[in-house]
Amino acid sequence: MKKLATLISAALVLSLAAPAFAAVEVGGKLGTEFTVQKNAADEWELKGETGLELETKISAEGGRPVKAVIQLTPWKLESGEFDDDGNPTGDFGEGHAPKAPVEIGIDKAWLETEGAYWHGGPSVRTRIGDVDIEWEQYVGHLPDKRGVTVEGIEFGPVGVDAFYAWDGDARPMGFAARSTIQGIDLNGMVVRRGDEANLSVGAAMEVIPGIDVSGKLALDSERRHLYRLEATADNLLEGIKLTVGYRGADDAFNPMYTHRYEDDDPSKDELYDLLDGFNVAAETVQSGFVIKGDYDDPKGEANISVSREMLVAGLPISGEYKAKIQRGEDVEHTVKASTTLDLIPQLQGLTLSGEVKLQGGDVGYEAAADYVAPNGINLGAKYVSDEGFSATAGVTVEF
């Protein structure tokens, strides 16, 4: 705890040392979680995980409409950070940082101003320094670059954003435009780096009340393409929302600055693929049941789900059934149910949940109970068919 106190003291000293006109923000989170479960030797074991992250941001503002922002490198202890789900990952038995105060580095720094370039001109936002250009997923994804961005330029009904960036020896530049003309929403982006240029254009409109159509086309520097078409009909058939789409792409489509997968992991948040084919989805609510279904032809995958909130013996139950149908595989059936109990005065807010999954001859199930105590500690117990019993207790605070 002495080293933790030293870290926080360092942040406070930095705050006091900042210029009088500077606004200093210190934030982060501290979390700990304990788990009781059997280890590989079939013995009960108590494991502890902990994590701490601190980040300081300094925003300096003077009399002019110019803001300077410096984000200091987050102080992440070697003994533990947090995973993508916000769970602490460090060994509770280890110490904190090996030395304190920790070295302070600059993560990002930029100047930002909002105003016109000439008297009476339109107001735009200009940022110089570290910029995140994430304006278009197919050709305009340039996070963590140094450069200049100018956003909010207006030419009559057309809005334009422009950038110039440094990417090693390369100097990419580009602009994104958008407009609405006679009910049609138009957008496009051009990115140029040396002799290479990438382009994307899109359009969307409401054909008639309740029916929307949209389309997108992207070209890389070799004029290889990717396109998306989609139509949505909401309540054209009473109580049913229907979506139909078609997509296609060259197998070698490869723009300079694209964002295909989160963290470059295809299993997470797939933004787009290079498959050709159609997809269809439908959603409706009938007698309190929420029914959803979708089919993707090039992937050969269909999903069906039925869910409902209901009262059973006076208890509010959330129930759901899902079926995943993959070409060449057995159907995967999943049934889930959960409820929150207030019947026990001492355990108000106790949540019970269960799940059963069946695929071919494989059956898996789990049951869980979760409870937030009045002192803020999260308590839980879980039994998973292929893992056994475990109990957890933990708390995470963001500040």
Side-chain angles (χ1 to χ4, degrees):
M1 292 301 294
K2 289 183 177 179
K3 292 181 179 179
L4 171 58
T6 304
L7 285 174
I8 297 177
S9 298
L12 294 176
V13 169
L14 180 63
S15 302
L16 295 174
F21 60 84
V24 181
E25 301 175 18
V26 179
K29 59 182 177 180
L30 172 64
T32 299
E33 183 175 89
F34 297 97
T35 303
V36 178
Q37 63 183 144
K38 287 189 176 182
N39 57 24
D42 201 30
E43 298 174 342
W44 289 102
E45 181 181 52
L46 176 64
K47 296 194 304 181
E49 288 82 28
T50 186
L52 170 64
E53 293 182 2
L54 292 175
E55 183 176 63
T56 301
K57 179 187 293 185
I58 303 175
S59 300
E61 298 187 25
R64 294 180 297 174
V66 179
K67 178 171 64 175
V69 179
I70 300 174
Q71 290 184 349
L72 301 183
T73 304
W75 300 332
K76 298 182 179 180
L77 302 186
E78 290 187 358
S79 63
E81 301 176 6
F82 293 87
D83 61 21
D84 292 339
D85 296 324
N87 299 314
T89 61
D91 188 339
F92 186 80
E94 297 294 331
H96 292 298
K99 59 180 179 179
V102 296
E103 296 180 0
I104 298 175
I106 295 177
D107 185 33
K108 293 182 180 181
W110 68 89
L111 296 169
E112 185 175 309
T113 179
E114 188 156 352
Y117 276 90
W118 61 88
H119 294 288
S123 178
V124 298
R125 183 171 62 257
T126 304
R127 179 165 166 172
I128 303 171
D130 293 300
V131 296
D132 290 304
I133 304 162
E134 301 178 3
W135 298 349
E136 208 276 342
Q137 71 182 53
Y138 299 118
V139 303
H141 188 81
L142 296 83
D144 299 325
K145 294 289 186 288
R146 294 185 63 79
V148 180
T149 61
V150 181
E151 300 179 75
I153 308 169
E154 300 290 341
F155 296 102
V158 181
V160 177
D161 303 328
F163 77 88
Y164 187 96
W166 277 253
D167 183 17
D169 295 331
R171 300 290 183 269
M173 65 183 75
F175 67 88
R178 61 206 167 273
S179 181
T180 300
I181 300 176
Q182 295 184 346
I184 303 176
D185 296 326
L186 303 172
N187 62 80
M189 187 167 185
V190 176
V191 176
R192 187 172 184 84
R193 186 181 68 186
D195 295 331
E196 298 179 279
N198 292 172
L199 166 72
S200 75
V201 292
M205 66 176 296
E206 186 180 53
V207 180
I208 60 175
I211 298 182
D212 299 312
V213 296
S214 63
K216 191 83 168 183
L217 170 67
L219 300 174
D220 66 13
S221 57
E222 298 297 326
R223 297 300 180 263
R224 294 174 294 226
H225 70 272
L226 171 146
Y227 65 90
R228 300 286 186 267
L229 302 171
E230 186 174 274
T232 299
D234 194 354
N235 217 35
L236 181 64
L237 300 175
E238 186 176 357
I240 298 176
K241 180 179 180 180
L242 180 66
T243 301
V244 179
Y246 193 89
R247 65 188 187 275
D250 287 331
D251 292 338
F253 176 74
N254 187 28
M256 297 178 292
Y257 299 104
T258 188
H259 186 203
R260 183 170 300 173
Y261 300 113
E262 179 186 353
D263 299 328
D264 299 321
D265 184 349
S267 68
K268 297 180 181 178
D269 188 21
E270 184 176 313
L271 292 178
Y272 71 87
D273 55 46
L274 301 178
L275 302 175
D276 296 344
F278 71 90
N279 61 278
V280 60
E283 179 178 346
T284 184
V285 178
Q286 301 293 333
S287 301
F289 289 91
V290 179
I291 305 170
K292 299 179 181 179
D294 64 76
Y295 174 70
D296 188 286
D297 177 62
K299 290 183 178 179
E301 179 181 309
N303 295 279
I304 301 171
S305 70
V306 180
S307 61
R308 185 178 180 182
E309 306 285 335
M310 65 194 85
L311 284 175
V312 178
L315 296 178
I317 304 291
S318 297
E320 182 179 27
Y321 165 77
K322 287 184 177 181
K324 180 179 179 181
I325 307 169
Q326 183 70 50
R327 186 182 298 144
E329 298 181 7
D330 292 325
V331 179
E332 180 182 280
H333 304 272
T334 303
V335 178
K336 298 180 180 180
S338 64
T339 185
T340 300
L341 301 177
D342 291 322
L343 301 177
I344 306 174
Q346 293 81 1
L347 297 176
Q348 293 187 38
L350 174 66
T351 298
L352 303 177
S353 61
E355 175 181 317
V356 177
K357 184 175 293 186
L358 171 65
Q359 185 174 22
D362 297 328
V363 180
Y365 58 90
E366 65 178 66
D370 296 284
Y371 170 69
V372 180
N375 60 9
I377 295 179
N378 299 300
L379 303 171
K382 179 186 291 186
Y383 184 86
V384 181
S385 56
D386 57 353
E387 297 178 8
F389 174 83
S390 64
T392 59
V395 62
T396 296
V397 176
E398 297 191 21
F399 52 90

